[in-house]
Amino acid sequence: MHDTLLFERHGAVGQPPPDLVRPVLEELVAKLGFERALVAAVEPNPPSLSGIASANISDQLAETFRIGLTENPTVILSAMEEGKPVLVADVVRDGRISEEVRAMCVQFGMYCLAVVPLIPASSILLVSKEHPITDAEVSDLLPYAGRLIAVLAERGVARPESEERAVEGEWLWWMVNTVQDPVLLTDERNDLVLMNTQASRLFQIGSEDSLGKRRAIELNNFLLSATLSSIALAGGPEPGRDLSLVDPIEGGELLYEVICHPATNLRTGDQGMISLLKDVSDLRRAGEQLSRSLEGLRATGEEVQFERDRLSLILTNVADPIVVTNAAGEITLMNAPAERLLPATSDTHVGGWRTIHLANEAKLSSFLVPLKLTPDRMRYGEIQMVDPDTGEVLTMGTTATAVRDELGELSSAVCVLHDLTKIRELEQRRVEQQLFESEKQAAVGRLAATLAHEINNPLEAIKNSLELLESHAGESDVAATIRSARFLGIARKETDRLSGIIRQVLGFYRQTVVAEPTQVNRVLEEAIELLERQLRQSGVTVHSDLAADLPLVPTPADQLKQVVLNLLINAQDAMPKGGTVHVTTRLSRETDTEFLAGRYVLIQVRDTGSGISEEDLPFIFDPFFSTKRETKGTGLGLWVSQTIAQDHGGQIKVQSRQGRGTTFTVALPPVAA
């Protein structure tokens, strides 16, 4: 009889106060999401279950819960006899539920049930939800079932020793089922002897299981048996052995770590194996994911290192300075050309180069400030820096590119600097050259106007004379003949004058080279004598030191005199307040390295005037170049003098310092050379 067996195994005890049980039920409902919960205890006379306490059920209704224990099989009796929770997906349609139990559950609004036996306390726990309860939800429920057993057992009535052992077994069963991992006991043939609820989900086939679930559980039993046999053949337990099983519900792969320990039944001597299956599926997946992530990070790190090395190689081989700054304008990266101009982070030196470096950095930081204040992506401009090695001022063309984050804020800036100093110098020289060419064209214009004026005068005279001759063409007296002769004389004279002007112009553009031996000292004395009165009136004194026995030179006397006169007149113009001119002659020596190799007669004219500036010195021999703008000099004297010297194998050199005077040296080869 079911009721007889029930009381033989568990007996009946007095009911505890509901206030001791209700808090556990209310906590269970609140934390696990069950709708209702009820605890009922076994009553001996007559054998029945009566309600003790409930949650979300009124006390009056809970006290009416009473189910008689008869021989008719019910879900409640099955749960108490088997000692395992029983799930009821639909109270109304489930054939395992008697009409008495069905009516009572409908009255309490409990349609989807879980019947949990509290065997050590001779009680049951009924919980319900709107949807069928799962095995996982039952596993979450087991700790609360243990607490209820502890509360109900406080009623404790003395039991015989055999019953105490049974109670201990029940307590052990609850303890094992509280563990979330599968725990099982197998015999020497690897057949399952005992298992907890978690293990039964994997290895125990139910009568209502589908064909697919049965196949999965059969495969799990085979895999478990093979693993346990492998462990037995290895000669002892092997903690950490992996075991792959099939999820009977979802069909996916489950990975467990099998921890085994041998066990012996001391009463019968049977050998067995206790196995704990630790679910490491998520851990293994996480490990694999972590491994893949690490591999990805490693590959990314290698790629980043490769790009960094390539960037470093590019920066190293770029000739222009490149600087990278952060949002605060602090330098974070620069190549070698930039390190020469800007301070390194490890530079602690004060003064000297450090001061120049800091000044250059301040100018660069000032240039980058507008990038923070405006949304511009790029900025172009020029900044003046100082070369720490030479102290030279450098004009650096700077291109700054802003690197902004997703919010548009400046995170860093990349600056490329290009030295424009040489370009600016070339541009300045080009402008100066253009200016010089303009001045030359103006001088040519003035010369052309002067020539036109000079030529126009004799032409007008010739024209007038011819007109007068034409007007007296019919006259034959003596007076007319005299007048005609006079007009013809005027025309011939003006024609000769015009011819002379033309010869002078032709001589200016096309010098005729004539070699004529000349004594240098005699030409110098004549030139000085010609200008002596003029020089004396200007307050200029001439001192001459002429070497004796000089060889003749191949320059005609009139051309050489023209050269000397040009030099003396220039010396006079350079000393408007008076001064001294030293004229010397001598033969060249080996120490005169400024001239080409050979033997020369040197004529030197040195004054104590204002000198020539460094800017004008390279251009003084150019035609139409003149420093006498206020006196309207033509700029042709030195050019003609140099042409005469070069046409006769000689040279002219000049040495001058502004405010220290000027020295012209004419070198002419001897006639023998």
Side-chain angles (χ1 to χ4, degrees):
M1 302 291 290
H2 291 288
D3 55 346
T4 303
L5 291 173
L6 182 63
F7 285 102
E8 285 180 354
R9 291 177 59 191
H10 307 292
V13 294
Q15 296 182 5
D19 292 341
L20 298 177
V21 180
R22 189 177 294 111
V24 180
L25 295 178
E26 291 176 350
E27 182 181 353
L28 181 152
V29 169
K31 292 190 175 181
L32 300 184
F34 290 98
E35 286 187 332
R36 296 173 180 83
L38 174 71
V39 173
V42 176
E43 295 290 344
N45 293 313
S48 61
L49 286 171
S50 60
I52 298 176
S54 63
N56 292 341
I57 301 175
S58 64
D59 293 341
Q60 294 80 4
L61 189 59
E63 291 175 356
T64 63
F65 184 86
R66 185 173 294 276
I67 298 176
L69 298 176
T70 64
E71 295 184 359
N72 297 326
T74 64
V75 170
I76 295 175
L77 289 175
S78 298
M80 296 191 69
E81 287 186 349
E82 295 178 4
K84 295 189 296 184
V86 177
L87 303 179
V88 179
D90 190 348
V91 171
V92 178
R93 294 182 176 82
D94 198 318
R96 298 174 297 170
I97 299 179
S98 64
E99 292 300 326
E100 180 185 12
V101 175
R102 181 178 291 109
M104 189 66 66
C105 290
V106 171
Q107 182 183 2
F108 281 71
M110 306 175 76
Y111 296 99
C112 300
L113 285 179
V115 182
V116 181
L118 309 177
I119 295 176
S122 298
S123 303
I124 63 165
L125 169 65
L126 298 177
V127 293
S128 69
K129 276 192 172 183
E130 291 182 352
H131 57 77
I133 300 173
T134 63
D135 292 337
E137 291 173 329
V138 172
S139 298
D140 296 336
L141 182 65
L142 293 180
Y144 293 93
R147 291 173 56 185
L148 289 171
I149 292 174
V151 173
L152 295 170
E154 290 180 357
R155 313 174 277 173
V157 179
R159 296 181 174 89
E161 183 180 353
S162 60
E163 185 176 348
E164 291 292 338
R165 287 198 299 270
V167 171
E168 291 177 359
E170 297 296 340
W171 280 114
L172 180 61
W173 185 90
W174 282 106
M175 182 175 65
V176 174
N177 277 278
T178 304
V179 179
Q180 298 298 317
D181 296 319
V183 180
L184 48 89
L185 172 65
T186 55
D187 57 17
E188 294 179 340
R189 296 188 301 276
N190 296 333
D191 293 333
L192 292 169
V193 178
L194 295 173
M195 70 184 83
N196 65 353
T197 304
Q198 299 296 333
S200 65
R201 292 180 57 250
L202 298 172
F203 301 105
Q204 188 174 26
I205 300 175
S207 58
E208 299 181 358
D209 291 341
S210 64
L211 180 61
K213 185 175 180 180
R214 289 173 178 270
R215 293 289 176 85
I217 293 176
E218 290 174 357
L219 180 59
N220 288 343
N221 281 280
F222 173 76
L223 295 173
L224 175 65
S225 178
T227 301
L228 295 178
S229 298
S230 176
I231 293 174
L233 290 175
E238 292 186 13
R241 176 72 69 92
D242 289 341
L243 172 62
S244 295
L245 299 178
V246 180
D247 189 338
I249 305 300
E250 300 180 359
E253 181 184 9
L254 299 175
L255 185 62
Y256 288 93
E257 182 182 359
V258 183
I259 301 174
C260 299
H261 194 279
T264 303
N265 191 325
L266 298 179
R267 288 183 295 173
T268 63
D270 294 336
Q271 299 291 324
M273 185 76 73
I274 298 175
S275 302
L276 172 66
L277 307 184
K278 193 72 177 176
D279 189 355
V280 294
S281 301
D282 294 338
L283 183 62
R284 183 61 57 88
R285 293 191 191 100
E288 292 175 355
Q289 182 65 32
L290 181 61
S291 178
R292 288 193 295 269
S293 299
L294 289 176
E295 185 63 28
L297 288 175
R298 187 179 298 108
T300 303
E302 293 176 354
E303 184 177 354
V304 170
Q305 185 62 39
F306 173 76
E307 293 296 333
R308 183 177 299 171
D309 293 342
R310 185 167 65 175
L311 176 61
S312 177
L313 183 62
I314 293 174
L315 292 178
T316 303
N317 289 277
V318 172
D320 289 334
I322 298 178
V323 182
V324 180
T325 65
N326 57 19
E330 299 171 344
I331 297 175
T332 58
L333 179 65
M334 55 182 169
N335 61 354
E339 291 177 353
R340 196 175 66 84
L341 299 174
L342 298 168
T345 54
S346 59
D347 187 5
T348 59
H349 178 68
V350 177
W353 287 4
R354 176 68 173 174
T355 303
I356 297 176
H357 286 159
L358 292 176
N360 290 341
E361 183 183 19
K363 294 176 181 177
L364 180 61
S365 300
S366 300
F367 178 81
L368 296 177
V369 167
L371 288 179
K372 290 196 226 178
L373 305 178
T374 63
D376 297 342
R377 180 170 178 80
M378 301 188 73
R379 186 164 188 260
Y380 307 93
E382 295 182 6
I383 57 178
Q384 302 291 328
M385 290 188 173
V386 178
D387 190 331
D389 297 332
T390 63
E392 179 185 2
V393 177
L394 304 177
T395 301
M396 307 299 293
T398 307
T399 302
T401 304
V403 180
R404 302 187 183 275
D405 56 19
E406 60 276 4
L407 299 178
E409 296 294 331
L410 181 68
S411 60
S412 61
V414 181
C415 304
V416 180
L417 296 91
H418 183 66
D419 189 356
L420 302 178
T421 306
K422 300 299 182 184
I423 297 177
R424 292 292 178 265
E425 291 179 356
L426 291 175
E427 291 178 351
Q428 183 178 357
R429 290 180 182 177
R430 184 164 58 250
V431 171
E432 292 176 352
Q433 184 66 26
Q434 292 174 351
L435 201 58
F436 174 68
E437 293 296 332
S438 300
E439 291 180 353
K440 284 204 302 185
Q441 291 177 2
V444 171
R446 291 194 299 269
L447 178 61
T450 302
L451 291 176
H453 179 269
E454 293 297 326
I455 292 175
N456 185 64
N457 290 334
L459 284 178
E460 287 293 332
I462 295 172
K463 178 181 176 183
N464 293 333
S465 299
L466 293 177
E467 288 178 352
L468 291 172
L469 282 174
E470 185 179 3
S471 63
H472 297 283
E475 298 178 359
S476 58
D477 56 354
V478 176
T481 303
I482 295 173
R483 284 197 300 271
S484 298
R486 185 162 60 88
F487 292 150
L488 288 174
I490 293 173
R492 184 174 64 253
K493 182 179 179 181
E494 293 301 322
T495 302
D496 293 339
R497 178 182 170 194
L498 180 60
S499 177
I501 293 174
I502 293 174
R503 282 198 302 273
Q504 288 179 0
V505 173
L506 291 175
F508 170 75
Y509 285 104
R510 183 174 59 249
Q511 296 288 341
T512 302
V513 179
V514 178
E516 180 181 319
T518 302
Q519 292 183 357
V520 173
N521 290 345
R522 181 180 297 175
V523 173
L524 289 177
E525 291 171 351
E526 292 177 357
I528 293 172
E529 185 178 358
L530 286 174
L531 293 177
E532 182 179 4
R533 182 172 177 275
Q534 177 181 341
L535 293 174
R536 186 168 58 252
Q537 291 176 349
S538 300
V540 177
T541 303
V542 179
H543 294 286
S544 59
D545 183 9
L546 308 180
D549 301 329
L550 289 177
L552 301 178
V553 296
T555 307
D558 57 342
Q559 295 185 17
L560 180 58
K561 185 182 296 183
Q562 184 177 358
V563 172
V564 176
L565 289 174
N566 276 329
L567 297 180
L568 291 175
I569 292 172
N570 286 341
Q572 175 187 351
D573 294 339
M575 298 181 291
K577 296 181 181 181
T580 304
V581 177
H582 298 273
V583 180
T584 60
T585 58
R586 63 180 176 85
L587 283 174
S588 63
R589 297 185 287 267
E590 293 181 358
T591 56
D592 297 321
T593 56
E594 66 270 23
F595 298 103
L596 297 175
R599 187 163 175 261
Y600 293 94
V601 174
L602 301 183
I603 305 170
Q604 193 174 74
V605 179
R606 176 168 57 88
D607 64 59
T608 59
S610 58
I612 304 172
S613 65
E614 293 183 2
E615 293 79 8
D616 294 337
L617 199 59
F619 309 107
I620 61 173
F621 291 107
D622 291 347
F624 306 110
F625 179 83
S626 175
T627 60
K628 309 174 188 177
R629 295 179 178 86
E630 65 281 357
T631 59
K632 298 182 180 180
T634 63
L636 297 174
L638 290 177
W639 175 67
V640 171
S641 300
Q642 184 186 51
T643 302
I644 292 172
Q646 291 177 348
D647 287 344
H648 296 88
Q651 307 168 58
I652 296 182
K653 299 294 181 180
V654 60
Q655 293 178 342
S656 180
R657 291 184 62 183
Q658 199 162 10
R660 299 288 184 89
T662 304
T663 301
F664 283 93
T665 304
V666 181
L668 296 172
V671 172

